[in-house]
Amino acid sequence: MARTIVITSGKGGVGKTTTSAALAMGLAQRGHRTAVIDFDVGLRNLDLIMGCERRVVYDFVNVINGEANINQALIRDKRCDALYVLPASQTRDKDALTKEGVGRVLEELSKGFDYIVCDSPAGIEHGAHMAMYYADDAVVVTNPEVSSVRDSDRMLGILSSKSRRAERNEPPIREYLLLTRYSPERVAKGEMLSVNDVREILSLDLLGVIPESKAVLNASNSGVPVILDVESDAGQAYSDAVGRYLGEDLPHRFLDIKKKGFFSRLLGG
């Protein structure tokens, strides 16, 4: 049976879709058959990040409504045979996602996959509830700013009370923290929260800290998960996060201000 991971947050624009694409690709690269699902009905950005938008024929809602089967809707990634994308619909209402329909799709996927990554819409509306309801694990994505962390704290309450695991009195969803757009320089200036500040507020296991990086935007615009940019700090940080999720004991990097080299200091850089 597959393990279902929801990528969630209380606030939009924190990097959920970037994270969903990166973690799904990272799991698949390590040999785990992985499906990543876009739950953001009406917007549909995951296929753009994954670079497969022109290959979308059927979508998640088509499968729920019985208008296509799961194999017709899944898009295999051209870079990794173990990774498949299930896109969202751009033309349907979010209410098209039903608890029963989502459950059927996840159950069918779980027969052939090791991991199912659910890219959740922001906030607490219907699509976000559907994305988290069947989750085994949750990656809470937040920026190091007060409003983002506060909204994430609210999401934790919903995860612990409105999931299928909570309703059935089963072991709770395993929750992880992923901190994005982190800048040690801005932390030093008091312009954003530190890693310790965020952990103290949310009390979650730290899965990773993704540094502020132009590589994230470049990758998104190119339709390439940033984890494939192995030269970038962000790509390496996402690779580390995948390793930690799979049980590897890896130190956290990119938390401190980079020391300038001799020539950089000499030239005033």
Side-chain angles (χ1 to χ4, degrees), residues 3 5 11 17 20 36 64 91 97 111 121 144 149 157 165 167 192 202 217 221 225 234 245 251 258:
R3 194 151 188 96
I5 310 164
K11 187 179 180 183
T17 301
S20 297
V36 57
I64 288 175
T91 58
L97 298 181
K111 297 173 184 175
V149 174
R165 284 176 168 268
E167 289 180 359
M192 64 171 50
L202 297 179
L217 181 60
N221 288 337
Y245 176 78
K258 287 185 178 179

Side-chain angles (χ1 to χ4, degrees), residues 13-212:
V14 299
K16 284 186 307 303
T17 301
T18 295
T19 297
S20 297
L23 294 187
M25 176 62 78
L27 289 167
Q29 283 183 314
R30 291 168 182 251
H32 303 286
R33 277 180 58 84
T34 304
V36 57
I37 307 175
D38 191 346
F39 274 78
D40 205 351
V41 174
L43 292 179
R44 204 180 87 186
N45 289 317
L46 179 64
D47 54 300
L48 290 170
I49 300 287
M50 296 296 297
C52 62
E53 69 277 6
R54 295 182 181 179
R55 297 166 60 201
V56 176
V57 178
Y58 294 108
D59 57 54
F60 192 12
V61 175
N62 290 140
V63 178
I64 288 175
N65 291 343
E67 298 158 353
N69 64 47
I70 193 71
N71 290 324
Q72 289 176 292
L74 283 172
I75 302 170
R76 188 173 70 179
D77 188 86
K78 290 182 177 180
R79 296 150 300 207
C80 183
D81 289 344
L83 179 59
Y84 290 76
V85 180
L86 182 56
S89 170
Q90 279 186 309
T91 58
R92 307 294 181 97
D93 186 83
K94 295 183 188 296
D95 290 334
L97 298 181
T98 64
K99 193 178 290 185
E100 295 75 19
V102 170
R104 284 198 309 272
V105 173
L106 293 178
E107 185 176 356
E108 188 168 353
L109 284 172
S110 71
K111 297 173 184 175
F113 288 89
D114 302 311
Y115 292 100
I116 302 169
V117 178
C118 301
D119 181 22
S120 172
I124 57 173
E125 46 85 18
H126 180 72
H129 279 290
M130 290 299 97
M132 72 175 65
Y133 181 74
Y134 292 98
D136 299 306
D137 302 327
V139 176
V140 180
V141 183
T142 188
N143 292 156
E145 55 186 55
V146 173
S147 62
S148 181
V149 174
R150 180 192 63 194
D151 289 346
S152 294
D153 201 19
R154 187 180 183 194
M155 290 304 300
L156 293 175
I158 296 171
L159 283 168
S160 65
S161 61
K162 293 193 174 183
S163 68
R164 183 173 67 168
R165 284 176 168 268
E167 289 180 359
R168 293 183 174 183
N169 246 358
E170 294 177 350
I173 294 172
R174 294 193 313 197
E175 298 164 342
Y176 302 91
L177 169 66
L178 189 84
L179 196 54
T180 55
R181 302 188 67 177
Y182 193 75
S183 169
E185 292 83 5
R186 293 185 63 192
V187 171
K189 294 176 183 177
E191 296 175 357
M192 64 171 50
L193 299 174
S194 70
V195 171
N196 289 335
D197 291 334
V198 178
R199 293 189 73 182
E200 189 174 326
I201 296 169
L202 297 179
S203 300
L204 293 178
D205 289 335
L206 184 62
L207 190 65
V209 178
I210 313 301
E212 182 77 76

